Amino acid sequence: MFDDLRWEYKALILIGIFTLSVIIYSYSSFNSGERERISDSTPVEPQPQPVPINIPNMTSDNTTNTTKNVTAEEARQIAAEPGYTAGQPSRGSININGTDIPVWVVPLQRGGKTVKEVYVSIEGGRIAGEREFQ
């Protein structure tokens, strides 16, 4: 029966048989064996991420009395920058090199949205750091 076929037809039949065997093998391998269900029932706790704080050079030429405590309004004026509106300061503290420094936290707003916080030292009124929000 195959003797009277031309070689092209014989090659085409072999390719078809090979293709069918690959298809049958691939589908039968999915149905064989035991199925294992893997479920991770333990919830992943979010880890706190460090927030970068820019610490400016504290060695400025301001040699006035550094023991004077500044008021909230003075901190607001110190933190004011062009293009921003200074919000109401609140008390807080930041840790710089293992030392807690009491500061006024002054929010700076642009377009009604807080985009930056400036940390003004309560003792002396120096800018101790700032943080920008993305």
Side-chain angles (χ1 to χ4, degrees):
M1 165 175 151
F2 290 111
D3 292 337
D4 55 345
L5 293 177
R6 293 178 22 191
W7 71 270
E8 293 94 356
Y9 293 119
K10 290 178 184 178
L12 190 59
I13 290 171
L14 286 174
I15 291 173
I17 292 171
F18 178 75
T19 304
L20 283 174
S21 63
V22 168
I23 291 171
I24 291 170
Y25 175 75
S26 65
Y27 281 112
S28 67
S29 66
F30 289 121
N31 295 327
S32 64
E34 287 187 33
R35 292 185 179 180
E36 290 186 34
R37 291 189 181 258
I38 300 174
S39 65
D40 187 11
S41 61
T42 58
V44 177
E45 293 292 326
Q47 298 295 321
Q49 299 296 321
V51 176
I53 296 177
N54 296 331
I55 301 172
N57 189 359
M58 297 289 281
T59 58
S60 65
D61 292 342
N62 186 6
T63 57
T64 59
N65 186 6
T66 59
T67 59
K68 176 185 172 228
N69 289 347
V70 296
T71 64
E73 187 57 37
E74 290 172 332
R76 188 177 185 179
Q77 292 172 1
I78 292 169
E81 293 182 17
Y84 295 95
T85 303
Q88 183 63 36
S90 61
R91 285 183 173 248
S93 68
I94 60 173
N95 189 316
I96 298 178
N97 298 330
T99 305
D100 284 333
I101 299 174
V103 293
W104 288 107
V105 180
V106 183
L108 296 181
Q109 301 171 347
R110 180 181 288 158
K113 181 180 175 187
T114 301
V115 294
K116 194 183 224 184
E117 283 182 346
V118 177
Y119 305 107
V120 179
S121 173
I122 291 177
E123 299 173 356
R126 291 191 177 139
I127 295 178
E130 60 184 38
R131 177 174 70 163
E132 290 192 40
F133 300 105
Q134 300 296 343

